[in-house]
Amino acid sequence: MPNLEEAIRERAYHLWVADGQPDGKAEVHWMHAQYEILAASVANPAVADIAVTKPARRARSPKSKTRAD
């Protein structure tokens, strides 16, 4: 996994699917996924090296740049 947030997002998605894709439980699935990923990284520090990396920088669009002239 490129970063922790992506790993949690993917696990939360799988938990949501396994739970029958209910509406209104996104936060519950996110928290369970977060717990699982972080617990796994504590149990096996090698997981933390893989899952926790600096997120990629987002490219700025040319329109978002402003100048103070």
Side-chain angles (χ1 to χ4, degrees):
M1 293 291 141
N3 63 46
L4 179 60
E5 186 176 348
E6 185 176 329
I8 294 169
R9 183 181 300 117
E10 184 175 333
R11 182 62 187 140
Y13 171 78
H14 289 287
L15 291 171
W16 174 70
V17 169
D19 196 21
Q21 303 175 353
D23 289 334
K25 290 190 172 185
E27 197 168 307
V28 171
H29 294 113
W30 184 272
M31 296 301 289
H32 282 279
Q34 187 177 43
Y35 174 80
E36 288 181 12
I37 298 294
L38 294 176
S41 70
V42 169
N44 184 1
V47 172
D49 291 339
I50 294 168
V52 182
T53 60
K54 188 174 180 180
R57 283 187 107 176
R58 294 183 183 183
R60 288 186 171 181
S61 66
K63 294 178 184 178
S64 66
K65 293 182 181 178
T66 59
R67 282 191 185 179
D69 290 9

